[in-house]
Amino acid sequence: MADPTRRRPSLQVVREGNPGKRPVFEGVHVPSVELSEPVWTDTFADVPGDQGAVNARCREVASREWRRVVPVLEFTAGLGSVDTATLTDYCICVARIDQCEREISTNGILMLGERGWQKNGATTIVGQYRTQLSRYIRELGLSPSARVSITPPDQDDDSDIWD
């Protein structure tokens, strides 16, 4: 049975009908702005050695993810300047997952340590980043189920969504 105290998403109300004729909550609209990409060297420092190459790859992955996701979200969700931190963290998660997966591919899931074979620490870290990434995906509306609750920012009230 559905939770009677939980509000249904606007699209679900329109799809299933609104027999009580209660007002449909359209959500909060944040003024749209054009977001500028963060300076990734602030997060992934340019250091000498092997770590510098790893950080350079993280900068590239984060930047590529930013350029891939932001145009879509600007169109569908109407991003505002308040969303910059969330998007930056999302891109950092994607870059760190890539870094951990490369570490696991290079050194394996199990590593020989002082006390014998041990689980590679990157497997634990990547699991934590994946959990956080799924939260960001839900929050930003990047999954099909999350997109149902997002309405486009400049949607005309007189138009029928089924047209």
Side-chain angles (χ1 to χ4, degrees), residues 73-93:
L73 289 175
E74 283 177 340
F75 176 73
T76 60
L79 295 175
S81 60
V82 296
D83 302 316
T84 305
T86 304
L87 277 167
T88 302
D89 287 346
Y90 165 78
C91 292
I92 290 170
C93 275

Side-chain angles (χ1 to χ4, degrees), residues 60-123:
E60 175 190 326
V61 169
S63 179
R64 186 175 47 221
E65 187 67 13
W66 179 278
R67 289 190 308 267
R68 184 182 76 85
V69 168
V70 167
V72 173
L73 289 175
E74 283 177 340
F75 176 73
T76 60
L79 295 175
S81 60
V82 296
D83 302 316
T84 305
T86 304
L87 277 167
T88 302
D89 287 346
Y90 165 78
C91 292
I92 290 170
C93 275
V94 170
R96 292 296 186 196
I97 288 171
D98 179 72
Q99 179 184 359
C100 289
E101 290 296 341
R102 290 173 61 79
E103 161 68 22
I104 293 168
S105 295
T106 303
N107 296 322
I109 293 175
L110 297 175
M111 298 176 64
L112 189 58
E114 292 177 3
R115 292 184 251 160
W117 289 98
Q118 300 172 354
K119 181 171 73 168
N120 187 338
T123 57

Side-chain angles (χ1 to χ4, degrees), residues 12-160:
Q12 183 181 0
V13 171
V14 171
R15 230 181 316 173
E16 295 175 359
N18 189 7
K21 304 295 183 214
R22 293 184 186 96
V24 178
F25 179 70
E26 292 297 326
V28 177
H29 294 287
V30 177
S32 296
V33 296
E34 188 169 325
L35 298 177
S36 58
E37 187 172 349
V39 179
W40 296 111
T41 52
D42 294 343
T43 305
F44 306 108
D46 196 13
V47 294
D50 291 341
Q51 189 59 42
V54 170
N55 285 354
R57 169 136 177 121
C58 286
R59 283 193 299 271
E60 175 190 326
V61 169
S63 179
R64 186 175 47 221
E65 187 67 13
W66 179 278
R67 289 190 308 267
R68 184 182 76 85
V69 168
V70 167
V72 173
L73 289 175
E74 283 177 340
F75 176 73
T76 60
L79 295 175
S81 60
V82 296
D83 302 316
T84 305
T86 304
L87 277 167
T88 302
D89 287 346
Y90 165 78
C91 292
I92 290 170
C93 275
V94 170
R96 292 296 186 196
I97 288 171
D98 179 72
Q99 179 184 359
C100 289
E101 290 296 341
R102 290 173 61 79
E103 161 68 22
I104 293 168
S105 295
T106 303
N107 296 322
I109 293 175
L110 297 175
M111 298 176 64
L112 189 58
E114 292 177 3
R115 292 184 251 160
W117 289 98
Q118 300 172 354
K119 181 171 73 168
N120 187 338
T123 57
T124 303
I125 295 168
V126 77
Q128 292 170 345
Y129 273 115
R130 286 189 190 282
T131 300
Q132 191 62 38
L133 183 69
S134 68
R135 289 185 185 130
Y136 287 130
I137 286 172
R138 238 184 348 263
E139 189 169 326
L140 293 169
L142 295 173
S143 68
S145 62
R147 279 192 293 269
V148 170
S149 63
I150 294 179
T151 58
D154 296 321
Q155 190 176 34
D156 190 12
D157 292 338
D158 297 334
S159 66
D160 185 11

